């Protein structure tokens, strides 16, 4: 199935347009990658720190409820910007991503991280103070979310170095 998706993207006209943009708009590839990294930094500086607060490691002078209501909008914005700044490269070189196991790990970690974060943030928005209910369970979910977000970051970087994991002379 991944081969089919790769083939469909590789043969699409959208891909020709994206490659043209990446090659002809001066500096576009590094600009997009810089925007991607800035989005990741903002995500970790807002959502990541909120998880660390729930775990009791950071920002003790503000409650998780305050941090969640303050940073909830940033979750959508940063993921949206990360998606838009990353998708051009996926369309331009689909085989590099769809046939790369590390890109699969990134997607897997991402789905876990986003599902747990959305669950915790939404529950808090619906019922302020809910994070305290069964504190060890909330902390457990936050811990898994933090590990998963770190996994997304490591896998994002390792996509480029997959050859060193699966050496094929
Ligand atoms: C939402 C959809 C996303 C898409 C489509 C996407 C796509 C990409 C692409 C195409 C690359 C370049 C990989 C390469 O060829 O070397 C990349 C790199 C990277 N991504 Fe993402 N990404 C997304 C979300 C995220 C998120 C949420 C994070 C972190 C929380 C993240 C962290 C990274 C990191 C750390 C790199 C390495 C960048 C570098 O060192 O230059 N990405 N991503």
């Amino acid at each position: 199935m991944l081969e089919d998706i790769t083939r469909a993207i590789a043969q699409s006209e959208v891909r020709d347009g994206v490659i043209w943009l990446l090659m002809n708009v001066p500096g576009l590839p590094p600009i997009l990658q810089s925007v991607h990294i800035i989005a990741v930094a903002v995500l970790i500086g807002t959502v990541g720190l909120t998880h660390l607060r729930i775990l009791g490691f950071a920002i003790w002078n503000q409650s998780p409820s305050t941090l969640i209501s303050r940073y909830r909008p940033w979750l959508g914005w940063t993921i949206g910007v990360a998606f838009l700044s990353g998708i051009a490269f996926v369309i331009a070189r689909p085989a590099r991503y769809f046939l790369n196991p590390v890109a699969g790990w990134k997607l897997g970690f991402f789905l876990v991280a986003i599902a747990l974060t959305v669950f915790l943030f939404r529950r808090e928005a619906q019922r302020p103070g809910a994070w305290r209910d069964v504190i060890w369970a909330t902390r457990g979910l936050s811990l898994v979310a933090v590990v998963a977000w770190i996994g997304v970051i490591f896998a994002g970087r390792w996509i480029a170095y997959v050859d060193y994991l699966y050496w094929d002379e």
Side-chain angles (χ1 to χ4, degrees):
M1 193 184 95
L2 289 177
E3 280 86 358
D4 295 337
I5 298 174
T6 305
R7 208 171 307 115
I9 296 175
Q11 291 166 354
S12 76
E13 283 177 19
V14 177
R15 180 183 182 229
D16 297 339
V18 168
I19 291 175
W20 187 90
L21 287 173
L22 288 170
M23 291 180 74
N24 291 286
V25 176
L28 186 58
I31 289 170
L32 284 178
Q33 292 203 331
S34 302
V35 169
H36 199 71
I37 281 301
I38 291 168
V40 172
V42 175
L43 180 74
I44 298 307
T46 53
V47 173
L49 274 182
T50 303
H51 283 301
L52 290 182
R53 169 62 185 91
I54 291 171
L55 289 168
F57 291 130
I59 326 185
W60 297 285
N61 61 351
Q62 292 187 46
S63 82
S65 302
T66 309
L67 293 178
I68 289 174
S69 68
R70 179 176 294 169
Y71 293 145
R72 212 154 64 95
W74 288 98
L75 179 63
W77 280 110
T78 50
I79 298 299
V81 171
F83 177 80
L84 290 177
S85 54
I87 198 68
F89 298 104
V90 178
I91 293 172
R93 300 176 69 189
R96 178 180 166 92
Y97 303 102
F98 285 102
L99 306 181
N100 181 336
V102 184
W105 300 350
K106 180 173 173 178
L107 180 63
F109 281 126
F110 177 74
L111 292 177
V112 172
I114 195 75
L116 292 179
T117 302
V118 167
F119 168 75
L120 290 173
F121 279 32
R122 202 174 265 176
R123 189 183 64 163
E124 192 62 32
Q126 287 165 352
R127 214 159 32 85
W131 68 276
R132 272 196 222 96
D133 284 358
V134 189
I135 183 74
W136 59 266
T138 306
R139 286 197 167 137
L141 293 181
S142 259
L143 182 62
V144 176
V146 167
V147 171
W149 282 121
I150 292 171
V152 178
I153 294 172
F154 270 74
R157 189 68 279 228
W158 268 91
I159 287 172
Y161 301 111
V162 64
D163 292 342
Y164 294 103
L165 291 175
Y166 303 94
W167 192 259
D168 184 12
E169 289 177 296

